[in-house]
Amino acid sequence: MTLNVVSVTVDLVLLTIRQTALQVLLIRRGIPPYPDRWALPGGFVLPGEDLGEAAARELREETGLDPQHGHFEQLATYGTPGRDPRGRVVTVAYLALLPDLPAPVPGSDAAGAGWRPAADITPGELAFDHGRILADGLERARAKLEYTPLATAFCPPEFTVADLRAVYETVWRTRLDPRNFHRKVTGADGFIEPTGGTVIRDRGRPAQLFRRGPATLLHPPLLRQRV
């Protein structure tokens, strides 16, 4: 039996909220295949390297960023034959959700790097099958906001309920009733807890500050409205 040589790569769907929009980090490829096309950050796994280590290394090398804070999880594995013109390549994708980050600095084989509003990226615009990977990452993020405290990964350590609501509205691309949202998030066991502090925001009124609570699942969940 002849064994096929399979290479393994990692790709990252890195999401943040900047300028009131859900944005994804993309790099402009500087080498073949797909030179000058936008793609997700990623690259080949080195011998003896763990997948998570490879994902963090590629992020540092191509953008100068390091996912030390926020949420980082394995998304899915993609291995459709022909997805990479260089040969048989299987990629393991990771999803990272982080608070507002600075502009990335391109490096290694990246000709450029930048944040792009996820809603502005058209199907087929990205190299390889990265459009599909991005779509899967976006849906994973939207779904997990229903059942987990994942929305707090987009927030600073201390935040207001209005800050948290803005995250849900941005990721879900919908408007939420402020009073109803406040009731739901403060009523979900262990979702958020008061810090004891306040901050002056709109109209000069003090707003209570919260931090993420100990819950790993939301009970009851915050469900999206299905159209």
Side-chain angles (χ1 to χ4, degrees):
M1 180 177 65
T2 302
L3 297 178
N4 293 325
V5 177
V6 178
S7 298
V8 180
T9 61
V10 290
D11 289 304
L12 296 101
V13 178
L14 179 57
L15 303 176
T16 194
I17 294 178
R18 305 180 85 235
Q19 300 171 344
T20 69
L22 181 64
Q23 301 202 19
V24 58
L25 181 65
L26 298 179
I27 60 102
R28 189 182 294 276
R29 291 185 57 80
I31 60 174
Y34 306 108
D36 206 40
R37 287 274 297 277
W38 289 102
L40 298 171
F44 287 95
V45 178
L46 300 178
E49 189 174 40
D50 181 73
L51 292 171
E53 294 172 349
R57 173 183 56 78
E58 285 291 340
L59 185 62
R60 288 192 299 268
E61 289 180 355
E62 296 197 17
T63 68
L65 299 176
D66 198 338
Q68 295 180 346
H69 307 287
H71 178 81
F72 194 63
E73 70 172 68
Q74 194 173 117
L75 174 62
T77 301
Y78 302 83
T80 302
R83 61 172 301 274
D84 191 320
R86 292 169 293 190
R88 190 75 168 96
V89 179
V90 173
T91 194
V92 180
Y94 283 80
L95 173 66
L97 309 178
L98 300 164
D100 188 12
L101 294 173
V105 179
S108 68
D109 59 357
W115 296 103
R116 292 270 308 278
D120 293 348
I121 300 172
T122 59
E125 178 183 353
L126 304 184
F128 306 103
D129 54 354
H130 288 184
R132 174 191 173 193
I133 297 174
L134 174 58
D136 290 347
L138 291 170
E139 178 52 32
R140 171 74 66 85
R142 289 168 179 147
K144 293 198 75 168
L145 259 61
E146 296 185 278
Y147 298 98
T148 75
L150 193 59
T152 58
F154 289 113
C155 296
E158 295 187 356
F159 50 87
T160 67
V161 171
D163 295 331
L164 188 62
R165 188 180 77 251
V167 170
Y168 275 88
E169 291 180 336
T170 301
V171 176
W172 284 352
R173 300 178 67 183
T174 189
R175 301 296 295 176
L176 300 172
D177 178 74
R179 291 186 179 180
N180 192 38
F181 180 83
H182 190 286
R183 177 181 58 81
K184 287 182 177 180
V185 298
T186 55
D189 296 337
F191 183 8
I192 59 175
E193 54 188 23
T195 66
T198 59
V199 64
I200 303 296
R201 290 287 171 86
D202 295 339
R203 302 176 183 176
R205 297 177 181 175
Q208 190 175 10
L209 287 171
F210 293 84
R211 57 176 166 257
R212 176 174 175 170
T216 56
L217 295 174
L218 297 186
H219 180 73
L222 278 70
L223 301 180
R224 289 176 284 176
Q225 285 188 342
R226 263 58 176 189
V227 179

